[in-house]
Amino acid sequence: MKKTMLALLLLGSTLTLAAQEETKYFLPRTALRFTLLIEKSSYTPGEYCQFAERFFKKSSQGTEPSVSYRILSAEITPYGVPDTTKSFKAKTDYKRNIRLINLDDSGILTSVNTEPHRFLAPDKRFRPAMKEAPLNPHDFMSQEILSAGSKAKMAELTAQEIYDIRESKNQLARGQADFMPNDGQQLKLMLQQLDTQEAALLQVFDGTTVRDTSEVNLVYIPEREITKQILFRFSTHFGLTEANDLSGAPYYFSIEDLHITPKIQVAAEKGKKEKDKNMEGFYVNLPGKIRVKVFKDNNMLAEQELFVAQFGQTEMLDEALFSKKLVTSVVLDPVTGNLESIKTSEAE
């Protein structure tokens, strides 16, 4: 957080500004971040996939490698960027009781005469889950399987090994195995080992599917209502594509102005709005509320109502709030520029 501290001269019990200072600041424009989680599935056929129907009465996923994509989730998040059309200055002199002005790193006004609100929001950055090391089916094959003279014979022996493992699990579960474990923990461990062996050997028939999830962020700054506009295109074969790439199906977004604006908590000085931005003072946004939707046909991917600065108006706080007789602290929302809180007390 960047701070501008105004020099103060303490004379008795009265705080007097040592010199004039002028601070330039921005109010925010609200941008929208569309966050997509996309899963990529990569299928590799098993060595003996052509024998899956023969030994297990089921069809394999295919004899050729394949890749597919799907959208897991979509989220809409607002954030603030400096609005260059709302650049103001706060000039301080002996007539004003202004001790501290806080700006964020981009120059957006966040608070006056107090620290900004610091909400410790959870870190939502996407982090891929750790993957377990893949199983190698050959590590679980017997010498008899590995030395078989043909692929068909290896498949037959592997299938028999899988059925033997399943029978062993059934006997353990019924308490009928020749070598029963001494306690429940040992039984659990033995069953886990058998499950691992079965899963590894089944790979040669079923193949393997590796799933990777990635995060994609799209940014849009709304300025007007939109009924239906392409946000992106998506293909189950290629994943996210450009808006003009016809290989992907279009996903749209809409923006509806709900014509709702929060009321300011203190009276604004009449006649001093955005058009008077060359005047010194503190301005705030009264953001407007919108409804944003992301959809494909009748499938609603995301929907959210939120306040954005561009659909509202700008007001100037009454200069009397910062007279020598008062100490006024103000906190603004860095996303919308709305007045979050204001406290006034008599100066000592």
Side-chain angles (χ1 to χ4, degrees):
M1 181 66 63
K2 181 171 62 180
K3 298 182 179 178
T4 302
M5 178 66 78
L6 305 179
L8 299 176
L9 182 63
L10 182 61
L11 297 176
S13 61
T14 303
L15 289 171
T16 306
L17 294 168
Q20 288 189 354
E21 282 197 30
E22 185 176 276
T23 301
K24 180 181 178 180
Y25 67 89
F26 297 98
L27 288 181
R29 174 185 278 118
T30 307
L32 302 180
R33 180 184 294 109
F34 299 90
T35 301
L36 305 174
L37 286 185
I38 298 176
E39 182 185 77
K40 174 184 178 182
S41 298
S42 302
Y43 167 71
T44 302
E47 295 177 63
Y48 313 144
C49 58
Q50 65 269 41
F51 300 103
E53 174 67 27
R54 175 180 171 184
F55 294 116
F56 295 98
K57 305 302 180 184
K58 63 179 180 180
S59 300
S60 66
Q61 296 185 43
T63 59
E64 297 295 330
S66 63
V67 176
S68 62
Y69 297 84
R70 65 173 179 143
I71 299 174
L72 297 178
S73 66
E75 185 176 300
I76 306 168
T77 306
Y79 67 97
V81 296
D83 189 340
T84 56
T85 68
K86 296 181 180 179
S87 172
F88 305 102
K89 55 187 177 181
K91 192 172 183 179
T92 58
D93 54 32
Y94 68 93
K95 296 179 181 180
R96 296 173 174 87
N97 194 352
I98 298 173
R99 307 173 181 180
L100 180 68
I101 298 175
N102 280 310
L103 312 178
D104 71 5
D105 292 336
S106 61
I108 294 175
L109 180 67
T110 56
S111 65
V112 181
N113 287 338
T114 187
E115 294 295 328
H117 293 164
R118 290 186 174 89
F119 297 105
L120 299 178
D123 188 355
K124 290 188 175 182
R125 288 180 300 174
F126 174 74
R127 294 180 177 85
M130 296 293 293
K131 292 183 179 179
E132 296 183 358
L135 298 173
N136 183 356
H138 291 265
D139 293 340
F140 298 88
M141 291 182 179
S142 66
Q143 183 61 39
E144 183 182 7
I145 297 174
L146 294 173
S147 60
S150 66
K151 180 179 288 189
K153 186 61 176 179
M154 292 181 71
E156 180 183 355
L157 294 174
T158 302
Q160 185 58 53
E161 183 73 11
I162 291 173
Y163 283 117
D164 289 344
I165 291 172
R166 291 176 178 176
E167 180 61 24
S168 296
K169 289 197 296 183
N170 286 334
Q171 290 179 351
L172 283 171
R174 297 169 183 165
Q176 298 174 352
D178 294 336
F179 301 99
M180 288 299 297
N182 297 324
D183 53 46
Q185 185 62 33
Q186 190 177 13
L187 173 61
K188 181 179 179 181
L189 181 60
M190 292 177 66
L191 289 173
Q192 287 176 345
Q193 291 174 342
L194 290 171
D195 285 340
T196 300
Q197 293 175 31
E198 180 181 356
L201 294 175
L202 276 173
Q203 289 180 177
V204 297
F205 296 100
D206 297 340
T208 57
T209 300
V210 177
R211 293 179 174 85
D212 295 292
T213 303
S214 60
E215 181 182 87
V216 177
N217 290 294
L218 306 173
V219 172
Y220 183 80
I221 299 179
E223 299 292 347
R224 58 181 175 81
E225 286 192 295
I226 293 175
T227 302
K228 187 178 182 180
Q229 181 172 315
I230 294 179
L231 179 62
F232 62 90
R233 287 178 178 269
F234 187 82
S235 166
T236 57
H237 300 292
F238 307 110
L240 194 71
T241 64
E242 298 293 337
N244 59 356
D245 186 345
L246 299 183
S247 65
Y251 281 74
Y252 303 92
F253 74 102
S254 65
I255 295 175
E256 178 186 358
D257 188 351
L258 300 179
H259 301 287
I260 298 174
T261 303
K263 294 182 179 179
I264 198 167
Q265 298 180 22
V266 293
E269 197 163 351
K270 299 299 183 182
K272 295 184 177 180
K273 298 187 179 181
E274 185 179 353
K275 62 181 180 180
D276 305 315
K277 64 183 180 181
N278 289 326
M279 300 185 66
E280 297 88 3
F282 291 109
Y283 292 78
V284 297
N285 284 332
L286 301 183
K289 196 172 190 179
I290 64 173
R291 180 183 292 118
V292 185
K293 297 179 180 179
V294 180
F295 56 94
K296 176 182 178 291
D297 300 327
N298 295 324
N299 177 26
M300 187 66 63
L301 197 61
E303 180 178 0
Q304 187 169 338
E305 293 183 4
L306 45 87
F307 284 97
V308 297
Q310 303 87 285
F311 283 73
Q313 62 192 51
T314 302
E315 296 282 356
M316 180 181 180
L317 296 179
D318 195 329
E319 288 185 340
L321 293 169
F322 302 96
S323 67
K324 291 190 297 182
K325 298 179 180 180
L326 296 175
V327 177
T328 301
S329 60
V330 175
V331 177
L332 276 68
D333 183 345
V335 175
T336 65
N338 188 28
L339 188 63
E340 282 193 343
S341 69
I342 183 166
K343 296 179 181 179
T344 302
S345 61
E346 292 184 3
E348 297 181 358

